[in-house]
Amino acid sequence: MIDVESAITLFMAATVALAVGVYVVLDGFDLGLGMLFIAASGDSERDQMMNSIEPFWDGNETWLVLGGAVLLAMFPLAFSIILPAVYLPVIAMLLGLIFRGVAFEFRFKHQPRKRLWDLAFAGGSLVATFAQGVVLGTFLQGIPVNQGRYAGSGWDWTSPFSLMTGAALVVGYSLLGAAWLFWRTRGELQRKAGTWAPKLLAGLVLAIVMVSIWTPIMSESIARRWFTFPDALAFAPVPLLTALLVWGVLRTLSSSSTGGSPWPFVCTIGLFLLCYAGMAISIFPMLPPPSVTLFDAAATPASQHFLLPGLVLLVPIILWRTWLNYRIFSLRSESATGHDIDG
């Protein structure tokens, strides 16, 4: 039987996981579109790409801030261990997000330097995405801890595994961006997105295979969980579900009747969520792995009780704002095209 304090701790951990997961989905296609920016032909296509994300891009980072704030407030020990291990990639990520944010605004307002802002938007997206992948790889490979403090160096994030996960996330976010463009744009840009997506999907599948092989070799605890009965039963459907989602992306992209279809985007999100869920199951209840549990890292019960009511109120408000942005964009698009672009 789980006691009240443990239940609150699990709820807080689930909130962090939710915030990070929603951020990956929402800002993933946003960053992916930014990295595809250079591949577009001319200002007209780039304007079309920008307009497709205009209602969303400035609110997506809200989920990243929420996840970081809850981690700091509710799991201070985990925060104090994780952050020193990834100081430099986190700084790079923040600088990348700042660059792309400034570029987004100034691109429309400072026409003489439009090409410079295009490069800043694409470069900031690439740096932020790669840095996020490096942070993920560093977290997965395990963070050394000694007496409750980070025991590694400031360069542990430069391991081959972390750099590989950084490159994998670049490919994955680019696929999300291409699937979004296939859904939300028309004409030549949509056709290009339909040709980019299968190539990026092949890269993502290769990355998933590499991570799936490398991770259990690198971590004995994860290997035991993946291949020891009965824990292995939780992972048994993963290869089949992955194959089905990959087939779904390819099938909906290749069908001649699915122009503007949301299903490639939906299936790609499914791939991300499947990988994310697999990672969470692999390391639970470690925060961070391999030696600190989320119960060890949790704040005092008094702190949790103090912050819980505000968090319960805040999360639905952020969810409502995100949904409202989407609905406003849909209504604008319907008004402009004369039909429901959601299909």
Side-chain angles (χ1 to χ4, degrees):
M1 191 72 177
I2 299 178
D3 58 50
V4 174
E5 304 303 336
S6 297
I8 293 176
T9 299
L10 289 172
F11 173 77
M12 296 303 175
T15 302
V16 174
L18 172 67
V20 173
V22 174
Y23 170 78
V24 166
V25 171
L26 294 183
D27 216 33
F29 75 83
D30 188 341
L31 290 165
L33 182 146
M35 290 184 287
L36 294 173
F37 213 57
I38 300 301
S41 301
D43 288 340
S44 177
E45 287 189 357
R46 294 189 182 101
D47 289 344
Q48 195 176 354
M49 294 169 77
M50 284 286 201
N51 289 333
S52 75
I53 61 169
E54 188 273 333
F56 308 104
W57 78 273
D58 59 343
N60 293 337
E61 283 80 13
T62 303
W63 292 99
L64 183 63
V65 174
L66 175 65
V70 176
L71 182 66
L72 171 61
M74 296 300 184
F75 302 97
L77 176 60
F79 189 90
S80 68
I81 293 170
I82 296 170
L83 194 59
V86 292
Y87 267 138
L88 291 179
V90 166
I91 291 173
M93 177 190 71
L94 295 176
L95 289 175
L97 293 175
I98 291 171
F99 263 89
R100 71 190 302 273
V102 172
F104 191 101
E105 296 292 344
F106 275 80
R107 182 179 182 274
F108 293 109
K109 299 175 182 177
H110 197 203
Q111 296 294 325
R113 296 287 184 270
K114 199 168 188 178
R115 183 52 55 88
L116 176 63
W117 297 121
D118 287 348
L119 293 173
F121 185 70
S125 300
L126 176 61
V127 169
T129 300
F130 183 76
Q132 289 177 18
V134 167
V135 171
L136 172 63
T138 304
F139 186 83
L140 273 179
Q141 74 185 6
I143 298 178
V145 178
N146 183 20
Q147 296 181 349
R149 295 185 178 183
Y150 175 58
S153 75
W155 298 98
D156 285 0
W157 58 271
T158 59
S159 69
F161 180 78
S162 296
L163 298 178
M164 187 270 292
T165 56
L169 198 62
V170 167
V171 175
Y173 278 4
S174 297
L175 174 59
L176 270 176
W180 171 262
L181 291 174
F182 183 78
W183 177 19
R184 288 303 193 180
T185 62
R186 297 292 182 267
E188 181 64 15
L189 182 56
Q190 184 189 68
R191 186 195 66 78
K192 288 181 178 179
T195 62
W196 294 335
K199 300 172 184 177
L200 293 167
L201 179 62
L204 180 60
V205 170
L206 177 61
I208 291 174
V209 171
M210 292 178 64
V211 171
S212 299
I213 294 173
W214 200 332
T215 301
I217 293 175
M218 178 182 61
S219 172
E220 292 184 5
S221 61
I222 292 178
R224 285 194 301 269
R225 185 163 292 187
W226 282 16
F227 303 118
T228 302
F229 185 85
D231 290 342
L233 293 177
F235 298 94
V238 171
L240 177 60
L241 292 175
T242 301
L244 287 174
L245 289 169
V246 169
W247 176 84
V249 175
L250 293 173
R251 178 70 178 83
T252 53
L253 282 171
S254 61
S255 175
S256 60
S257 62
T258 57
S261 170
W263 289 109
F265 184 68
V266 172
C267 291
T268 303
I269 288 176
L271 280 172
F272 268 83
L273 294 180
L274 188 62
C275 294
Y276 185 58
M279 182 196 75
I281 296 172
S282 298
I283 64 174
F284 180 83
M286 299 301 171
L287 187 71
S291 56
V292 179
T293 70
L294 60 92
F295 301 103
D296 296 331
T300 62
S303 297
Q304 295 188 32
H305 292 165
F306 176 76
L307 293 170
L308 180 61
L311 193 61
V312 170
L313 291 174
L314 183 62
V315 172
I317 292 174
I318 299 175
L319 284 169
W320 175 79
R321 180 183 182 275
T322 302
W323 175 84
L324 184 62
N325 282 346
Y326 172 81
R327 288 307 305 161
I328 290 173
F329 175 65
S330 295
L331 291 173
R332 285 178 181 173
S333 300
E334 291 171 28
S335 176
T337 60
H339 65 280
D340 186 351
I341 63 171
D342 291 345

